[in-house]
Amino acid sequence: MTNAMDIVIKNGSTNGSVDGNDESRTNLIVNYLPQTMTQEEMRSLFSSIGELESCKLVRDKISVLPASLQALNPALQQGQSLGYGFVNYVRPEDAEKAVNTLNGLRLQNKVIKVSYARPSSESIKGANLYVSGLPKNLSQPDLEALFAPYGKIITSRILCDNISDIEVIKKLLLNGIGLSKGVGFIRFDQRNEAERAIQELNGKTPKGYTEPITVKFANNPSNSAKAQIPPPLAAYLTPQAAAATRRLTAGALPSAGRISIGKSPLFAINKGLQRYSPLAGDLLANSILPGNAITGSGWCIFVYNLAPETEENVLWQLFGPFGAVQSVKVIRDLQTSKCKGFGFVTMTNYDEAVVAIQSLNGYTLGNRVLQVSFKTNKTKTA
DNA sequence: CGACGGGACGC
DNA sequence: CGACGGGACGC
């Protein structure tokens, strides 16, 4: 297994790569891309630095869509973005410049990471560890320090509780309870480094710790066998929507961690969803699909029972905490300029729109109970 | 107890 | 208590 063949670096014209091109100084890996970013958008961004040899956004190819629906739109045939990709420049100096200027760039709600891709190799796969039983006050540097003796750490992370409502924040502020769930991830450069860390740390109580920790290989994200969507519903869903639904079904709340304290109102997740929307379609009504999905222009949300004095900023404040908001619109009477009682909000990401609807439908704003749902196709003329 | 805009292929 | 992440090697 130990093979030095793939790490040969020479000054001359030859090297260890298969195709004879040394990519070690031109090929970049880009991580933490926004979910909605396409390969062409990625190409556009990185082309601004210099000429590209290639650009590849990695997508999952697992399809939840029947072939008949995919045939409607070629874009649906591709799986959802896995949030990372590769950019290979023609010139090493451009690659270097891309790392220096684009690493850390904020795109939508993400901060992208741009770094040199490691040479593709079997030895670097499956080097991600799942660690539990960590002290709640352990910092990320602490975690890395614990694992550093066993190899080169590529990434690390400590998971935190979802902050989905105001109660959690209150607890945090009043009691100073830590966010950490006591679990984290460590990705090593090499799998054998990860294996050694397991041998040395799993079940052990590190110095200064009071409890033993668990260290094992992290689950492979590709085979997360969570609740599946019933076929009739899946037939209407985009891959993104299906994935979001899977997460919701599994009880996980997407978009956690983005919360704006002090920008009230914040909201408890609404329990009794349906009764506030007697006339609205379901959350996943077929009337909203697949038109929105195909045009890719965002998810339009209908907001009803707004007060006559309502201004646009109210809608921004209501929906902003849930994710990327593209536009808001308060519908007004042309004569009086007073709000006619409803408005529209377009959000970029389906899963964020779902959470916003779930959270805001039934929410009492002033003395009015809002009704929030995906926009339907109703027209005034009816 | 009433319910789904308006503008428009754009640098 | 356990906890598996919006995404790190070309899905």
Side-chain angles (χ1 to χ4, degrees), chain A residues 135-198:
Chain A
K136 301 288 193 195
N137 59 359
L138 194 78
S139 70
Q140 189 178 359
D142 293 338
L143 180 65
E144 292 203 6
L146 181 62
F147 283 84
Y150 309 104
K152 178 181 177 185
I153 295 170
I154 302 298
T155 56
S156 70
R157 186 185 203 111
I158 292 177
L159 298 190
C160 296
D161 287 322
N162 284 340
I163 304 176
S164 56
D165 63 61
I166 191 74
E167 293 307 316
V168 175
I169 295 172
K170 282 181 184 168
K171 280 188 196 170
L172 293 173
L173 297 179
L174 293 178
N175 304 336
I177 296 173
L179 283 165
S180 170
K181 295 170 74 171
V183 309
F185 295 87
I186 290 279
R187 184 187 308 277
F188 277 105
D189 182 46
Q190 301 291 321
R191 180 173 174 103
N192 59 12
E193 296 171 339
E195 285 171 348
R196 189 160 153 252
I198 291 175

Side-chain angles (χ1 to χ4, degrees), chain A residues 283-296:
Chain A
L283 198 55
L284 300 172
N286 55 18
S287 57
I288 64 167
L289 296 165
N292 280 6
I294 287 178
T295 60

Side-chain angles (χ1 to χ4, degrees), chain A residues 29-34 42 56-59 81-86:
Chain A
I29 185 167
V30 186
N31 291 294
Y32 313 114
L33 292 166
M42 186 180 166
K56 172 75 174 290
L57 175 66
V58 180
R59 304 168 180 271
S81 165
L82 290 180
Y84 71 94
F86 297 87

